[in-house]
Amino acid sequence: MTPRLLVVQPDDTDPPASLGTWLTDAGARLDVVRPAAEPLPELAGYQGVVCLGGEMGAMDDLKHPWLRDVRQLLASAVGNRVPTLGVCLGGQLLAAATGGRVVVGDAGPEVGPAMVAKRDVAWIDPLFGEQPMVLDVMHFHVDTIDRLPPGAELMASSHKYPNQAFRINGCGYGLQFHIETTTEIVLDWARTAPEVAVLARPGELDKDRLDTAHEDIAETWRPFAARFVRLAAGELAMADQARTTLPLV
């Protein structure tokens, strides 16, 4: 089976990039939709959903009214046990859509290459189980998930912000960080958001450092993406968790 994945791209500056390559290499077909410019399709016919990042806030509906439609789609996907992956803003939207809370992080932005650590339940998770204990990631965010949705299970944490990755209803995965980026994408963000980039540790946004970081991220997350495709194809069993009623925001 070739699983068909709906890829929601909220922002032109954050395309599927490396994650898109890993998903297609694993056998998925991607339909990329930009909700700011076109309506979201029905979920019927899709075996999985991926939601990418963006510069807007997860609840910034006044400026971006289509965000509500994205949250509703994510809540519907998870409620119907469709494998779903949210990356950075996508993870925040998934959290908000299912009853969590996203706020401006009181400890300040996270910027640049970093590591997060798996939590106990992740070791028996279909996607995270084979991941290493410490995971290479890329940060470039101001907002953070400060309260997980009811029933969500924590997959990964860091010292600064504990809710780095979570699972909801056994099929939905939210990541606070980026895995899809390239060096060029991060350098573009640094140029367009210098007030955020300046908060990175010295040298962390240098090209050579970003190149090395992205090699490590690819080694860590390419297998994860392949397992997500297997999950969407029905070749990998979802986490054994009862359905719950998920609130629409």
Side-chain angles (χ1 to χ4, degrees):
M1 175 184 178
T2 299
R4 186 181 177 199
L5 306 182
L6 174 61
V7 179
V8 180
Q9 183 181 331
D11 196 315
D12 288 343
T13 68
D14 192 15
S18 295
L19 177 58
T21 299
W22 304 336
L23 294 170
T24 54
D25 284 352
R29 171 187 167 189
L30 308 185
D31 290 350
V32 180
V33 176
R34 294 170 174 81
E38 55 191 314
L40 292 169
E42 298 294 326
L43 280 173
Y46 289 103
Q47 288 74 52
V49 177
V50 177
C51 187
L52 300 168
E55 59 82 23
M56 62 287 296
M59 303 300 294
D60 200 2
D61 293 15
L62 288 179
K63 291 182 180 178
H64 309 283
W66 47 266
L67 284 169
R68 179 177 176 85
D69 295 335
V70 176
R71 294 195 303 272
Q72 289 176 334
L73 181 140
L74 294 173
S76 178
V78 172
N80 286 285
R81 298 275 282 180
V82 177
T84 300
L85 175 63
V87 179
C88 202
L89 172 63
Q92 295 167 355
L93 287 164
L94 178 61
T98 53
R101 186 173 66 180
V102 179
V103 300
V104 176
D106 58 8
E110 289 184 301
V111 186
M115 292 184 174
V116 300
K118 282 170 61 173
R119 298 299 297 263
D120 290 349
V121 71
W123 291 101
I124 56 172
D125 178 75
L127 299 189
F128 276 92
E130 296 183 30
Q131 294 289 86
M133 179 182 296
V134 179
L135 308 165
D136 291 281
V137 303
M138 183 64 62
H139 285 305
F140 208 100
H141 66 95
V142 175
D143 291 351
T144 189
I145 302 165
D146 83 324
R147 186 179 68 216
L148 291 178
E153 298 168 285
L154 191 60
M155 297 283 109
S157 290
S158 71
H159 176 71
K160 189 169 186 177
Y161 292 114
N163 298 328
Q164 291 289 343
F166 67 93
R167 182 181 73 199
I168 182 74
N169 205 28
C171 67
Y173 294 83
L175 311 181
Q176 175 61 78
F177 42 82
H178 294 279
I179 61 174
E180 78 288 9
T181 54
T182 64
T183 293
E184 291 71 26
I185 288 172
V186 177
L187 290 175
D188 283 344
W189 292 349
R191 284 190 288 268
T192 57
E195 72 284 359
V196 177
V198 73
L199 299 173
R201 294 189 300 272
E204 289 293 271
L205 297 183
D206 291 349
K207 184 181 183 302
D208 289 347
R209 172 69 177 108
L210 291 173
D211 286 344
T212 300
H214 281 105
E215 290 174 3
D216 294 337
I217 289 169
E219 183 177 357
T220 300
W221 293 99
R222 181 188 287 271
F224 179 95
R227 287 192 292 275
F228 183 79
V229 173
R230 292 181 60 208
L231 192 72
E235 299 171 3
L236 192 64
M238 295 183 194
D240 184 14
Q241 180 173 334
R243 291 174 181 257
T244 58
T245 300
L246 302 173
L248 289 178
V249 177

